[in-house]
Amino acid sequence: MTSHTSPPATPFGGTLRSLRRAAGLTLEELSEASGVSVRALGDLERGRSRGPQRRTVDALAAALGLDDEQRERVQRLADAGRERGAAPTPPYLLRTVPDFTGREQELAELESLATGTRTRAAVLFGPGGQGKTTLAAEAVRRLSGAFPDGCVCVQLHGMSDSPLPAAEALVLLLTALGHSPDRIPVDPVAREAVYRSALAGRRALVVLDDAADESRTRPLLPDAEGSFVLVTSRRPLAGLEGVRRIRLGGLSGGESTRLLGRILGTPRTDGQSEAITRLTELCGHLPLALRIVGNRLSSRPSWTPARLVDHLTDEGRRLNGLVAGDLAVRSALALSYGQLTPPHQRLLRRLSLLPGHGTGPDLAAVLAGEDPLTTEDSLDLLVDRGLLEETAPGRYALHDLVRLFARERFRDEEEAALSVQLRTADWLLRSASTAGRLFEAPGAPEPWAGEPAPFSPGSADEAEEWLTVERAHWAGALPVMFAAGRHAEILHTSRTLYWFSDRWPEWPEWRTLFSHGARSAAALGDRAAEAHQLNCLAWAHSVGAYQYEPAEQLARQALELASEAGDLDQQAWAWTYISGAYMGLARHAEAAEAADRATRLFETTGDSTGKAVSQRVLGTALRESGRAEEALALHRALLGTRAGDVPGLNEFVAALLRCETANDLLALERWSEAAAAFRVVGTPSAHAGTDRLRADTSLGLATALEHCGDLTQAHEHYVRARDLFTEFGDTASAAEATAGIERLGYSG
């Protein structure tokens, strides 16, 4: 008796048998309806014939009454059967890559889950291009020893127009697990029970690649014991029960560099570390983009990494450059974008208009033209789809490459681009003005009217938080408003934020704000306002950025305009900022003369706050000019009057004056008195200048203690001063503190 072994059923054969039985047809009845012979049908179902031609598939689909999606899936299985030439087991193979890099933390977590007993399934999710399938393949390779019954993989086509239904996926899985097609139940519930029983009875690893949603995935998960299922998806599949979710983000900088190095090889990367690092940044550390860059360079031996950097630096060309053969970042993003509803697509497109990195629901709602609650739900959906990142609770940001893709879609699909940008810019400046009013004197003018209603903080703390978090956005709104000729609104915003700016002088946004304010005032023909804005801009360059020469030039422009307008107050402030610039340039005698002029003008106008500021600078200039006794007398007199009538400013001004007095004593070499004076300076926490004051105080105290012989305490304060000065970029003062450390014989 001769034994005969039938070939294993193919995915196409198993699916055809399942569809035929579900339709209630015998082989003969299907043959009659389709015109395909009974023998040919039998060969297809049993796997003897693996991949029928399209006309045969069309005939069978018509006879079975399949819809378009079912017809496409069956055709896909037939095509796969012809390409492979044999029925593979498993039906879908994950391809490993020899240059796999990084992801050690995720692999360790997967190994712990897969070899443990508590969790029997994991969802590996994240945006397109993050290498989820590649990581799953690497996990299969590393975990193969823990699963003696092998690995079964199935492609669920979640990102296609016709994702594989769970019932059809079960046919593929059961076939791969060795079940005869004759024994696979027609009823989906019974089919699922057979599948789970098969998994529970063996130790197998099942990979469900590219899952679409929970409904198509839930029937494919195991029971509590037995095999382990690893799911990859662009979505977190939050509705699934009893699974562990692992979010896959970009590679680290080091991992990105190593991946490019492994793709290109050492000869191509030697001496190119700077260009390689820049390439990883331009790729946003996205594995797909890094792979494309590596492949492009590999296919062009004459190209250097630096040449590709030049090509990709242009944002308008970057997505065009991130293409290598059939790999393209744009295509990967388009799959996710195409599955969004029109409102969600619109929100994603418009988020690309924001100049800052992140946004909250209120600003996003203005972009979308919807209410904040609806927009917040939409933002969360975009996070789930891997097109948006929640960087902090309630804050959302686009990956750089997603932003470029969304901006392309905006240009191609939005007709009212300018109106969207202008409406958003208008809302941002009205909101900034509303928040800034809480730091002005009572009775400050209301912002201009507009829709939607601006952000309205309930307290100064809330206002400060909004102005801080959204500063890149409201500063980025200024060019849009300026281009639209909204000069009065820009000037109003600049004036409203004037007092708040003193709290955070190092922000570069002040230079943007006050430069637009000066240009808007000039456009309006208001010379006094232009002088005020130029003075503010001089302050931003001097106090905020230590750019003393531009500060002096701007203050002199302000002085000229204020003189033409007859504005004594702005003339006084111009001389004050000229004096401050001279101090930064070590032109102390000229600084003293300018400060004296400012003081006399402030006396004329009755501005006690301005007078206190100019006199403090005058005293400092006198001290640096070798007239420390006069400086000490002046600063002590100012401390006695506590001049300054701006709410919330007196405490800080007093602390500044105490620091100046201590420095005067230091200049007079009255070391113990200076040390005692520095110890009582105080550092008001409500003012952004506190760090600078703390640094100056630490440096002065260290100097006094060094001369008093307390070297241990002196070293401690020198280190504190050095670290603070370094943090906010004052290299000259940091060097002075470092010299003190070296004098004491310390290296740290």
Side-chain angles (χ1 to χ4, degrees), residues 69 73 156 162-166 169 212-220:
E69 288 190 7
R73 285 193 295 272
L156 298 180
S162 53
L164 193 67
D213 52 39
E214 291 87 345
S215 66
R216 290 178 172 88
T217 308
R218 188 177 287 109
L220 311 181

Side-chain angles (χ1 to χ4, degrees), residues 506 511 539-551 584 692 725 728-731:
E506 75 281 3
R511 297 193 289 280
W539 166 85
H541 278 278
S542 179
V543 177
Y546 314 114
Q547 298 170 352
Y548 301 114
E549 290 182 354
R692 175 76 201 200
F725 284 126
F728 48 73
D730 188 343
T731 54

